[in-house]
């Protein structure tokens, strides 16, 4: 049976969520930490407000996130078996959780880990961009340590718990040459743990 505090907090959260229709950009703590559906709902509403306010569609949402960082929904380990069509080549993505005291977040750190013979892990800053469909969001994988820094884009589908990354496009506009022997340029990662 829920305590009086829990009931009060739930009622307060419902009131805060109903206020989203008035100004979703002003709410920083409308959702509980770990409430992925609530966080993504707030992200969708903020993206809609940003679009109607004339913000470019490819601009990342840099407003303060739900419980510090809406990208936190990506935290955990992801796996693409037989990556890019190569049998037995497994690529992992480890997405670090946001810090417990994060008041502001416009990206979250992640490491792309491939077999050692393909190279060292790659450090990313992953950022949500605008929603693409009902439960699908664009994701930007920025590589700040590269010279020069670059990014790839992909998607996150909440319904299927799937992340993609298009290694065939650089900085959202430059097509890259096909990877020799690969059947695709898209990594398709499924969540294996939170």
């Amino acid at each position: 049976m829920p305590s009086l505090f829990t009931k009060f907090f739930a009622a307060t959260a419902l009131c805060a969520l109903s206020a989203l229709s008035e100004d979703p950009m002003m709410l920083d703590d409308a959702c509980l930490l770990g409430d992925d559906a609530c966080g993504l709902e707030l992200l969708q509403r903020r993206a809609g407000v940003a679009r109607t306010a004339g913000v470019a569609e490819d601009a990342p949402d840099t407003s303060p996130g739900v419980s510090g960082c809406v990208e936190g929904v990506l935290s955990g380990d992801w796996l693409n078996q037989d990556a890019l069509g190569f049998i037995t080549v497994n690529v992992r993505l480890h997405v670090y959780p946001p810090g417990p005291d994060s008041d502001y977040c416009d990206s979250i750190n992640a490491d792309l880990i491939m077999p050692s013979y393909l190279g060292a892990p790659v450090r990313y800053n992953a950022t949500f961009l605008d929603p693409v469909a009902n439960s699908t969001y664009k994701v930007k994988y920025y590589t700040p340590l590269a010279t020069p820094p670059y990014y790839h884009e992909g998607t996150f589908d909440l319904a299927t718990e799937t992340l993609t990354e298009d290694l065939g496009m650089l900085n959202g506009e430059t097509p890259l040459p096909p990877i020799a022997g690969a059947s695709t340029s898209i990594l398709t990662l499924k969540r294996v743990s939170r």
Side-chain angles (χ1 to χ4, degrees), residues 139-185:
V139 177
K140 178 178 173 180
Y141 300 94
Y142 179 64
T143 310
L145 302 177
T147 306
Y150 67 90
Y151 69 90
H152 295 291
E153 291 183 351
T155 60
F156 168 60
D157 186 331
L158 176 65
T160 63
E161 291 275 305
T162 304
L163 272 170
T164 66
E165 180 183 358
D166 186 354
L167 300 176
M169 289 295 283
L170 186 66
N171 297 330
E173 58 188 36
T174 306
L176 296 173
I179 299 167
S183 61
T184 182
S185 65

Side-chain angles (χ1 to χ4, degrees), residues 35-157:
D35 187 350
D36 298 344
C38 179
L40 288 171
E41 173 76 15
L42 183 58
L43 177 66
Q44 276 185 315
R45 290 175 188 260
R46 285 182 174 170
V49 168
R51 275 195 305 279
T52 59
V55 174
E57 284 200 27
D58 62 349
D61 177 15
T62 56
S63 58
V66 176
S67 299
C69 186
V70 293
E71 283 83 357
V73 71
L74 300 177
S75 297
D77 291 302
W78 302 78
L79 174 66
N80 183 175
Q81 293 181 314
D82 301 333
L84 307 176
F86 295 107
I87 305 299
T88 72
V89 174
N90 296 330
V91 174
R92 295 184 179 279
L93 182 71
H94 176 74
V95 182
Y96 295 92
D101 298 324
S102 297
D103 291 330
Y104 181 81
C105 175
D106 64 358
S107 68
I108 191 167
N109 290 328
D111 289 328
L112 186 70
I113 304 160
M114 57 203 115
S116 60
Y117 58 86
L118 294 176
V122 177
R123 172 56 55 102
Y124 286 136
N125 296 125
T127 304
F128 276 135
L129 301 176
D130 286 336
V132 178
N134 285 343
S135 68
T136 304
Y137 300 83
K138 254 177 125 172
V139 177
K140 178 178 173 180
Y141 300 94
Y142 179 64
T143 310
L145 302 177
T147 306
Y150 67 90
Y151 69 90
H152 295 291
E153 291 183 351
T155 60
F156 168 60
D157 186 331

